Amino acid sequence: MDLTLTSLWHWTKLTVRAPATASALVRAAKLPIEVSIMMIALAGIVSGVSSGFLDYLSGAPPVEFLMADGQTLSFDRSGPLMQAIYAVGTGLALPYAIFQVGKRMGGKGGLADIMAVTAVLQLVMTVILLAQTVALLVVPVLGFGFLVFGLYVFFRGLGHAVNIGHGFNSLGLSTGVIALSFVAIVIMAFLVVSVFGIGPVGELR
């Protein structure tokens, strides 16, 4: 399986047009889990730094949540380095959660299979994210279009990746695995933040 910069564009087009075929080819390649981890880390670093850089250039305001008592909980946006760390952590947690949840729902894929199909999808999403970043700086409306397109490609691609990776024959079952995996990641993130104090700190105003 070739994963040069030139071939990455090929994988991007294939994932957009035929995500099931892309995932089947990736699984058949039997990528070592170490290679998949490296790809996920690369995708996370590039996407995290790009997002942080875009926030810095655009002067994005803090993220705010209105509380029930009328106060506002405000979170300052993280810099490129922290965003890259969060992206890598999430990128690694997602396939692991999909593997564990899918296995308990009858999936036959190994951790290496799930890591591989999600790693290539994350690299493809990095290509789309870079295009979105450039578009937001030049033509914001076009950047929003890339955002919507990227979400569509990601969830469609992830559905087929889980379906192929776990050997399911049901996109509905794959969707259930994805939903439960995201819930598991949110719970785990909450526990990590609570126990170790790692993560953004909010301020009540």
Side-chain angles (χ1 to χ4, degrees):
M1 180 178 174
D2 185 19
L3 271 175
T4 61
L5 287 176
T6 302
S7 67
L8 183 55
W9 177 239
H10 164 74
W11 283 107
T12 301
K13 292 188 294 182
L14 183 60
T15 300
V16 171
R17 295 171 181 171
T21 301
S23 293
L25 290 173
V26 172
R27 184 177 183 183
K30 297 294 181 183
L31 294 177
I33 195 169
E34 296 83 5
V35 173
S36 298
I37 291 174
M38 288 176 60
M39 289 194 295
I40 291 172
L42 175 62
I45 291 170
V46 173
S47 61
V49 170
S50 299
S51 298
F53 183 67
L54 178 63
D55 288 343
Y56 174 76
L57 288 180
S58 61
V63 179
E64 296 183 340
F65 298 95
L66 183 62
M67 309 299 288
D69 59 2
Q71 290 185 298
T72 300
L73 183 61
S74 178
F75 292 90
D76 290 331
R77 292 183 182 269
S78 302
L81 178 59
M82 288 306 301
Q83 289 207 34
I85 292 173
Y86 294 150
V88 172
T90 304
L92 292 172
L94 178 61
Y96 183 75
I98 287 173
F99 165 67
Q100 293 291 352
V101 173
K103 184 172 66 173
R104 286 160 175 75
M105 295 178 68
K108 300 177 178 62
L111 181 58
D113 297 320
I114 305 303
M115 279 283 188
V117 293
T118 54
V120 173
L121 176 61
Q122 289 186 52
L123 281 178
V124 167
M125 293 310 302
T126 301
V127 174
I128 297 175
L129 176 63
L130 289 174
Q132 175 194 334
T133 301
V134 173
L136 282 170
L137 293 173
V138 179
V139 185
V141 174
L142 182 59
F144 178 76
F146 270 111
L147 173 62
V148 174
F149 175 70
L151 289 173
Y152 165 76
V153 172
F154 175 70
F155 284 108
R156 180 171 178 247
L158 187 59
H160 285 286
V162 173
N163 207 40
I164 297 295
H166 268 306
F168 293 141
N169 192 28
S170 168
L171 284 175
L173 182 57
S174 298
T175 301
V177 170
I178 292 169
L180 290 175
S181 297
F182 276 115
V183 171
I185 291 173
V186 170
I187 293 174
M188 184 57 66
F190 177 77
L191 291 175
V192 170
V193 170
S194 300
V195 174
F196 298 102
I198 300 173
V201 178
E203 179 182 353
L204 282 173
R205 298 175 180 174

